Amino acid sequence: MLAHIVRRLLQGLVVMLAVGLVSFSLISFVGDPVASLLGLDTPQEAREELKEELGLNDPFVVRYGAFLLRAAQGDLGLSYTSSRPVVEVIAERLPATIELTVVSAVLAIVLAIPMGVYTALHRETWGARLLLTASLVGVSLPTFVIGIMLILVFSVSLGWLPSFGRGELVRIGWWTTGLASISGWKSILMPAASLALVQMTFTMRLVRAEMLEGLRTDYIRFARARGLTNRAVHFRHALKNTLVPVVTVIGLQVGTLLAFAIVTETVFQWPGMGLLFIQSVSTVDVPVMTAFLMVVGLIFVVVNLAVDLLYLAIDPRLHVTQ
Amino acid sequence: MSELASTSGGVGPRSVWQSDFVHRFRTSPVAVLSALVCVLFFAGALLAPWIAPTNPYDLKTLNLLDSRLPPAWMPEGDVRYLLGTDNQGAGVLSSILFGARVSLLVGFASVILSMIIGVALGLVSGYFGGRTDAVIMRMADVQLTFPAILVALLLGGIADAALPEHTRASFSILILILAIGVSNWVQFARTVRGSTLVQKNREYVLAARMMGLSDLRIMYRHILPNVMGPVLVIATIGLAFAVITEATLSFLGVGVPITEPSLGMLIRFGYDYLFSGEWWTVVFPSGALVVLALAVNLLGDWLRDMLDPGLR
């Protein structure tokens, strides 16, 4: 058990080191810091001197170590475009992305689990077939197309919902939330819905498959033999056991969620980290790009670790095999 | 379709399999319809320079007086431009035909790249087993937790940032193919590894070994033809995925160059004019993209049920 946790922590550390290496390579090979610091008419000796002073002549490993040390202390450099500390810029954008992803994940889970259960229990009905076909259409619908169509219908044609931004924000300490005002909820509705759709098709199919599997097991047969009602069998026994893998897999999908958050944020001009990343790519703002990489890597590692531990805690069978 | 059937030869007695295949294809309306749509798209994309009503790349033929025309059936529409025109005066229908060309080029090329990487790694992994297998499968696990679109986005973004401005345009399609191709090999590798594990203990492989053939030759000439069936299914579904990924990346601005717009790029152009009422510049390219992806997905789904009902 403990060994497993330690191994997981080490794996997370390796992932972070790898992400750090990619980020650092990006910083060191893209652009020339000496050229950007000094004027064109600076003599060659002065250039060499500055290079030495900045530690650019040190071996790669030494510079990488120094970079990691600074990163661990929360120093990821200055943004090229705004000249502000990158950590500050990212922290400002973090609440928007977290609110968007959490609302969409809740929306997806609340809708997809009942749909998955329904399609598993009533396999041959028209409703179930319709939902399954719809999920195949959903897989073929790119996120940004869904977003654009939502804007076209609800903002351009009907004028009901705003097409960009987060609405009125309320500041709580360093955190800004849009969920405390009506305009904030109106603004989050479409982005969250289009991001939720990505997860829904997938979650629904997973719940369905797990339910079908669960309904075939012996303990379900025994539960029926004991004379339990259908309702108790389906929800107390089958669904409950289904939820463990489903919750785990949803947790492990955090990478997909973050990736599609970039797309959704771009379509709806949602001022989160994803939009910041796309802007930094177009302006070649390398420090911001690398910081985004590191933050996403960190979120990813932490969520994976949490899900893993949760899984260990929930499923007693894993204790035996360890 | 006959093309697809012949490339997966070697699965059982061929003529019987093929006639059965054709029969089941003919009796499935979904398969026929989606195949028809795919063929239409492929033909339209291939023949775009000859069949498109106008050439959207040829700036000399564009007339600004023709810009922002609605589709032909609307009051102000023009019969020359069936689906209307954009703000440059280029016909939307022609742009879609040329755009599908770029989309499908990137799609096919990246799927082929994923297939080569995935099949090679899967074969090696399954055939040699042991430590090689463990390393490759761990790599696959890691890759799988990072969604392909994020990997492609990062690769594309990094390459964009790393390359100097003037070389970027000429390389960007290549980078795009590389990014999508590299980020999507895991499915191929896993499936091929599974089938290879089964095949490598068959008599014909043992016989080939006893004849003293090299490992490379056994893998390539003997095992490979027998594991290609499922690969075809994954490649089909992978094509839909690659086309969608390309469109998404182009929409985000890290995809194809502006000079050669794909469907995703056209949607991006249209998106900028969303509020000026020119819905046709965004709705038609989006529709084309979704119909193409859906048709390819349906075809892949059907193919999967056909080749191996137990695959998933």
Side-chain angles (χ1 to χ4, degrees):
Chain A
M1 180 80 186
L2 192 69
H4 183 78
I5 296 174
V6 170
R7 201 162 60 227
R8 278 295 174 180
L9 273 174
L10 282 178
Q11 274 176 8
L13 202 65
V14 170
V15 171
M16 280 317 288
L17 283 178
V19 173
L21 188 64
V22 172
S23 309
F24 180 64
S25 317
L26 199 59
I27 290 187
S28 29
F29 297 124
V30 179
D32 179 3
V34 176
S36 50
L37 281 171
L38 297 175
L40 278 175
D41 50 354
T42 317
Q44 193 59 36
E45 299 87 65
R47 284 172 189 274
E48 288 303 324
E49 213 170 284
L50 184 70
K51 222 174 163 187
E52 189 63 46
E53 206 174 298
L54 289 173
L56 292 175
N57 289 335
D58 293 343
F60 185 80
V61 183
V62 175
R63 284 186 291 141
Y64 177 44
F67 169 79
L68 284 180
L69 214 61
R70 270 181 280 126
Q73 292 164 350
D75 176 12
L76 289 170
L78 296 178
S79 159
Y80 289 168
T81 44
S82 63
S83 305
R84 289 168 53 207
V86 169
V87 178
E88 211 178 288
V89 180
I90 293 262
E92 209 174 77
R93 301 290 194 108
L94 199 61
T97 299
I98 290 182
E99 274 180 8
L100 175 63
T101 46
V102 168
V103 169
S104 77
V106 170
L107 200 65
I109 291 169
V110 166
L111 289 174
I113 290 182
M115 276 155 70
V117 171
Y118 176 79
T119 49
L121 292 183
H122 309 277
R123 264 203 294 177
E124 298 305 317
T125 60
W126 272 101
R129 290 214 179 125
L130 195 73
L131 279 176
L132 279 180
T133 313
S135 82
L136 196 66
V137 176
V139 173
S140 311
L141 272 172
T143 320
F144 70 99
V145 170
I146 298 170
I148 290 176
M149 292 307 140
L150 284 176
I151 291 180
L152 204 58
V153 173
F154 292 104
S155 301
V156 179
S157 299
L158 298 171
W160 290 350
L161 297 168
S163 70
F164 65 91
R166 291 178 72 192
E168 201 180 310
L169 297 179
V170 175
R171 184 173 280 277
I172 305 167
W174 64 276
W175 187 277
T176 54
T177 179
L179 301 183
S181 66
I182 295 174
S183 72
W185 276 102
K186 269 181 150 176
S187 307
I188 205 170
L189 209 58
M190 287 198 297
S194 63
L195 193 53
L197 213 69
V198 180
Q199 310 160 62
M200 263 171 66
T201 49
F202 168 81
T203 313
M204 190 191 98
R205 286 184 165 233
L206 184 72
V207 170
R208 176 176 177 272
E210 290 287 335
M211 267 302 262
L212 285 177
E213 190 117 319
L215 285 173
R216 276 198 291 266
T217 53
D218 285 338
Y219 68 83
I220 292 295
R221 217 174 295 159
F222 274 113
R224 285 198 203 283
R226 271 160 56 205
L228 295 183
T229 58
N230 262 343
R231 203 187 146 95
V233 172
H234 291 156
F235 292 97
R236 287 253 288 286
H237 293 262
L239 181 61
K240 224 173 178 179
N241 278 291
T242 301
L243 287 184
V244 179
V246 168
V247 166
T248 312
V249 174
I250 291 174
L252 293 177
Q253 285 293 307
V254 67
T256 314
L257 198 55
L258 285 171
F260 283 105
I262 299 177
V263 180
T264 313
E265 285 179 8
T266 309
V267 175
F268 292 97
Q269 294 295 301
W270 186 261
M273 289 194 311
L275 188 61
L276 181 72
F277 175 70
I278 286 297
Q279 285 162 346
S280 70
V281 167
S282 60
T283 54
V284 201
D285 195 341
V286 182
V288 174
M289 282 171 71
T290 56
F292 175 81
L293 258 181
M294 306 274 282
V295 171
V296 166
L298 192 65
I299 293 178
F300 188 77
V301 166
V302 169
V303 171
N304 268 284
L305 199 66
V307 166
D308 220 46
L309 295 182
L310 199 70
Y311 205 10
L312 272 180
I314 293 174
D315 197 336
R317 280 169 299 184
L318 286 174
H319 295 286
V320 186
T321 52
Q322 284 306 307
Chain B
M1 284 317 299
S2 62
E3 206 180 46
L4 290 180
S6 65
T7 48
S8 66
V11 185
R14 190 155 157 178
S15 58
V16 176
W17 184 81
Q18 214 166 13
S19 67
D20 184 36
F21 182 87
V22 169
H23 173 73
R24 288 166 96 173
F25 174 75
R26 277 210 314 245
T27 47
S28 162
V30 174
V32 172
L33 193 67
S34 45
L36 199 70
V37 171
C38 288
V39 168
L40 268 178
F41 261 100
F42 297 160
L46 263 178
L47 304 175
W50 297 279
I51 60 167
T54 54
N55 182 353
Y57 297 150
D58 191 359
L59 296 175
K60 285 185 301 246
T61 62
L62 298 185
N63 189 346
L64 275 179
L65 289 175
D66 286 338
S67 68
R68 305 187 180 193
L69 289 173
W73 59 85
M74 302 225 339
E76 285 164 42
D78 188 320
V79 278
R80 284 176 302 154
Y81 304 105
L82 188 62
L83 300 180
T85 59
D86 62 11
N87 64 318
Q88 300 284 322
V92 172
L93 178 63
S94 311
S95 299
I96 289 176
L97 286 172
F98 277 89
R101 208 174 149 85
V102 181
S103 291
L104 283 171
L105 169 78
V106 174
F108 271 113
S110 52
V111 164
I112 289 170
L113 183 64
S114 318
M115 192 159 84
I116 292 172
I117 300 173
V119 169
L121 286 177
L123 268 177
V124 168
S125 195
Y127 186 78
F128 290 112
R131 192 158 288 180
T132 325
D133 180 35
V135 169
I136 293 177
M137 284 302 114
R138 276 305 80 70
M139 265 164 60
D141 284 348
V142 171
Q143 169 85 72
L144 212 60
T145 46
F146 287 95
I149 198 157
L150 189 62
V151 176
L153 193 61
L154 291 176
L155 279 178
I158 289 169
D160 248 16
L163 286 175
E165 193 102 30
H166 52 97
T167 52
R168 213 180 285 165
S170 46
F171 280 115
S172 57
I173 285 196
L174 220 59
I175 291 167
L176 198 61
I177 291 170
L178 213 67
I180 300 173
V182 166
S183 57
N184 213 15
W185 57 273
V186 177
Q187 282 271 296
F188 288 102
R190 287 200 161 172
T191 312
V192 169
R193 173 180 174 268
S195 328
T196 307
L197 283 177
V198 176
Q199 298 290 336
K200 80 169 177 186
N201 293 322
R202 292 265 170 92
E203 280 86 356
Y204 73 88
V205 176
L206 292 179
R209 268 207 199 132
M210 284 207 286
M211 281 167 67
L213 297 183
S214 68
D215 288 335
L216 199 70
R217 194 177 162 86
I218 294 174
M219 279 192 278
Y220 178 66
R221 290 295 291 274
H222 298 271
I223 298 180
L224 184 62
N226 286 306
V227 301
M228 280 309 275
V231 167
L232 201 70
V233 175
I234 299 174
T236 313
I237 294 172
L239 177 66
F241 183 82
V243 167
I244 289 179
T245 308
E246 182 278 330
T248 305
L249 293 180
S250 294
F251 176 78
L252 293 175
V254 285
V256 297
I258 292 181
T259 47
E260 280 168 75
S262 64
L263 290 177
M265 193 61 121
L266 290 177
I267 299 171
R268 181 188 169 87
F269 292 153
Y271 169 76
D272 291 337
Y273 292 90
L274 212 52
F275 281 90
S276 48
E278 290 147 47
W279 53 268
W280 54 90
T281 55
V282 61
V283 167
F284 292 127
S286 304
L289 177 65
V290 172
V291 169
L292 174 62
L294 188 62
V296 176
N297 261 335
L298 283 171
L299 203 60
D301 238 37
W302 177 82
L303 211 58
R304 177 168 61 198
D305 292 345
M306 235 12 51
L307 287 178
D308 184 5
L311 201 65
R312 219 155 73 135

